[in-house]
Amino acid sequence: MSDAKDDDLDDYIEASARVLGLPLEPAWTSAIKANLQVTLRLAGVVAEFELPDEAEPAPTFEA
Amino acid sequence: MDAWASAAEIAEKVASGATKAAAVTETALARIAERNGVLNAFTAVAAERARAKAAAIDAARARGVPLGALAGVPFAVKNLFDVAGLPTLAGSKINRARAPAGADATLIARLEAAGAVLVGALNMGEYAYDFTGENVHDGPSRNPHDTGRMTGGSSGGTGAAVAGGLVAIALGSDTNGSIRVPSSLCGVFGLKPTYGRLSRARTFPFVASLDHLGPLARTTMDLALAYDAMQGHDPEDPVCVDRPAEPVAPLLARGTDGLRIAVASGHFKRGAFPEAAAAVERVATALGVTREIELPQAARARAAAYVITATEGAALHLERLRKQAGDFDPAVRDRLIAGAMVPAPLVMQAQKFRRWYRSEVLKLFAEVDAILAPATPCTAPRLGQQTLVLDGVEMPLRPNLGLYTQPISFTGLPVVAVPVPLEPLPIGVQIIAAPWREDVGLRIAHRLETGQIVAARRPPE
């Protein structure tokens, strides 16, 4: 979805952990990074599907 | 009373006086004591409460009070349901410090109002972020068909308790497949109703915009009886619709004449093991179904469900992650921390996509009444298994057990998971219906059951 580099993601994880007040043990970071990569990849799959500006989101969903 | 008796049989015998609720309860408690050491389905057994409730039912009958449709039927609930007097664990270590619940979840109260007897709370994957049924704090629930294998999750103890003959009915929750995956791997029937149909009041949430509750059972009639007893508006769950109860048990035997049924193609035909494809084929053949239909952008729907789950789940647990990250199951913690870091615009795009997908999927129901799809890509994996091979590519097991369930719950459709008793292990098929048409899925399931195409086969012991 973007051309962020691997190091960028490491920096992003460290910075966002600080901003969010989340602990970040060195032993956890590789798994967190792997999970974030998967989620961002899937978010990219969704985002590349073009929808009009007027498309309504469904945060409170009703079937 | 046989521990394997159905809920309908138990209720009939208790109502007629052929047996007493107290005797049924003792049989269930003895059965749990005998088998739970192996299956690890229960995390709490409410023996005293169950005996008191059973005694009250027997006393009511002696006074001539009419009994409910589930009189004397033992049931249990995933441990994210509030049970008065117990802390609501939701599979976690952290929640053990919570105060005991002050009142039962609405669905427990409704089953008990119909005469059912709560016998305990069931093991589950931590905070329901799980498809395996494994739990680092309580140990894995074990599949009654092969105790070296997974139950599926996150309602793993629910699947094990029903498939193992510990209770006739048990309740689970399903955010992305957590009722349908254990139903499939444990070989029992499961119902994930329409989003908003059943109250979630006094249950521990996971992803509010995707969370559903529902029953698992060994027969379609038991599934219908439990579902009927739980229906109805509840102002204590803001998502629960104000819609009259629409009982399905009286409709089960109506058959399937006139129903238009198709097999899901595209995403739902990719990645399946031969067993999953064979199960769908067997069901489709029995129903005379030859038509195929494609749910548009189903793989993208799964991706969007994944994003919403990771981020909403992270929002729910943010404070616990800040203060008690070390007390989480590491696999859950790492996914939630990653979820907290996903930029908000990506989540909103997933929510916009959700609305689009819903409108496209609803169009399909102008052409068909029900859609068949595999419930899981494979039969029960071995405990501890980390990967599986889909279409020749080794993939992480955990998320991919929900490959076929996630795109369906994403749009809130009702699904009945039916067990195809393949050898050596069973596997489920999803019968997917239009919103609010649980009756259609259950009628098809009932016809397959009477035709002996699907069945909750009794496991070896």
Side-chain angles (χ1 to χ4, degrees):
Chain A
M1 54 169 242
S2 76
D3 43 14
K5 297 185 180 64
D6 209 47
D7 288 353
D8 293 340
L9 200 56
D10 290 330
D11 294 345
Y12 177 76
I13 288 170
E14 280 190 27
S16 52
R18 281 198 301 276
V19 169
L20 288 163
L22 290 170
L24 201 60
E25 301 273 340
W28 307 350
T29 48
S30 67
I32 291 170
K33 183 177 177 181
N35 279 299
L36 187 57
Q37 283 170 324
V38 170
T39 312
L40 292 177
R41 180 176 61 75
L42 293 173
V45 168
V46 177
E48 72 189 14
F49 188 75
E50 287 190 20
L51 288 170
D53 288 341
E54 294 77 12
E56 288 280 342
T60 301
F61 184 74
E62 289 171 16
Chain B
M1 195 85 204
D2 179 6
W4 293 92
S6 72
E9 289 164 348
I10 292 168
E12 192 269 323
K13 287 191 172 161
V14 169
S16 72
T19 191
K20 291 211 179 299
V24 177
T25 297
E26 291 306 329
T27 300
L29 293 173
R31 177 80 186 150
I32 293 164
E34 178 196 342
R35 290 297 290 164
N36 197 52
V38 175
L39 299 179
N40 200 27
F42 280 77
T43 52
V45 178
E48 202 174 314
R49 170 184 170 139
R51 289 186 175 115
K53 170 72 178 172
I57 291 166
D58 290 332
R61 185 178 182 280
R63 290 197 309 274
V65 177
L67 301 184
L70 294 170
V73 174
F75 78 103
V77 296
K78 187 173 185 174
N79 72 25
L80 57 67
F81 285 73
D82 281 3
V83 175
L86 295 179
T88 304
L89 302 183
S92 70
K93 174 183 173 188
I94 292 168
N95 282 27
R96 277 155 224 250
R98 280 166 71 95
D104 293 331
T106 292
L107 297 191
I108 294 176
R110 288 185 178 174
L111 286 179
E112 289 212 323
V117 177
L118 181 75
V119 295
L122 300 164
N123 199 355
M124 60 176 280
E126 187 179 76
Y127 290 128
Y129 205 172
D130 168 59
F131 280 133
T132 65
E134 297 182 338
N135 183 300
V136 295
H137 314 296
D138 292 309
S141 50
R142 292 175 177 273
N143 194 313
H145 292 277
D146 179 343
T147 54
R149 291 182 184 273
M150 294 176 183
T151 52
S154 62
S155 311
T158 304
V162 173
L166 307 191
V167 285
I169 291 167
L171 302 185
S173 68
D174 188 316
T175 302
N176 286 297
S178 287
I179 286 174
R180 294 161 288 160
V181 170
S183 294
S184 178
L185 302 191
C186 292
V188 297
F189 294 88
L191 171 63
K192 184 205 77 62
T194 310
Y195 181 75
R197 171 75 90 171
L198 296 183
S199 170
R200 305 168 307 175
R202 292 181 294 285
T203 61
F204 198 85
F206 173 26
V207 181
S209 72
L210 292 169
D211 288 342
H212 307 66
L213 304 177
L216 282 74
R218 293 189 299 270
T219 72
T220 54
M221 179 54 81
D222 286 2
L223 209 57
L225 290 172
Y227 169 63
D228 286 351
M230 295 189 288
Q231 287 188 53
H233 180 53
D234 181 4
E236 294 190 86
D237 175 1
V239 165
C240 185
V241 292
D242 192 358
R243 195 181 168 93
E246 297 170 293
V248 295
L251 308 179
L252 283 191
R254 277 198 181 172
T256 56
D257 287 353
L259 291 180
R260 301 161 301 168
I261 307 169
V263 173
S265 59
H267 173 78
F268 299 91
K269 294 227 158 179
R270 288 193 284 274
F273 280 50
E275 296 84 356
V280 173
E281 177 70 25
R282 193 182 285 196
V283 166
T285 301
L287 295 168
V289 173
T290 52
R291 181 174 180 178
E292 292 196 350
I293 199 163
E294 179 146 5
L295 278 77
Q297 301 293 334
R300 215 181 295 272
R302 178 171 175 254
Y306 192 101
V307 172
I308 291 170
T309 298
T311 54
E312 268 196 53
L316 175 71
H317 290 291
L318 196 60
E319 202 54 30
R320 278 178 285 273
L321 290 167
R322 285 174 175 146
K323 291 180 178 156
Q324 294 173 271
D327 290 334
F328 278 81
D329 173 341
V332 173
R333 177 198 63 215
D334 296 341
R335 278 182 294 162
L336 289 174
I337 290 178
M341 296 172 174
V342 175
L346 300 177
V347 185
M348 288 314 294
Q349 282 169 318
Q351 292 288 13
K352 281 180 78 156
F353 176 80
R354 189 178 189 191
R355 177 81 65 190
W356 176 88
Y357 178 70
R358 169 188 182 267
S359 68
E360 294 301 306
V361 169
L362 289 184
K363 288 176 191 166
L364 302 180
F365 290 102
E367 298 174 43
V368 297
D369 299 298
I371 301 169
L372 307 174
T376 50
C378 56
T379 55
R382 295 200 172 281
L383 287 168
Q385 190 175 321
Q386 298 292 324
T387 60
L388 80 174
V389 177
L390 294 177
D391 285 339
V393 182
E394 189 168 28
M395 308 278 278
L397 172 79
R398 214 176 236 272
N400 282 297
L401 283 173
L403 187 65
Y404 303 130
T405 51
Q406 265 185 295
I408 311 303
S409 34
F410 186 54
T411 189
L413 300 175
V415 185
V416 181
V418 294
V420 179
L422 300 182
E423 292 289 352
L425 292 166
I427 190 166
V429 170
Q430 297 184 88
I431 304 171
I432 303 154
W436 316 113
R437 295 310 305 268
E438 287 84 352
D439 61 313
V440 167
L442 283 161
R443 279 166 57 195
I444 295 169
H446 186 70
R447 168 158 169 219
L448 291 165
E449 181 185 34
T450 53
Q452 300 184 327
I453 304 300
V454 303
R457 189 180 63 228
R458 191 166 161 169
E461 284 179 14

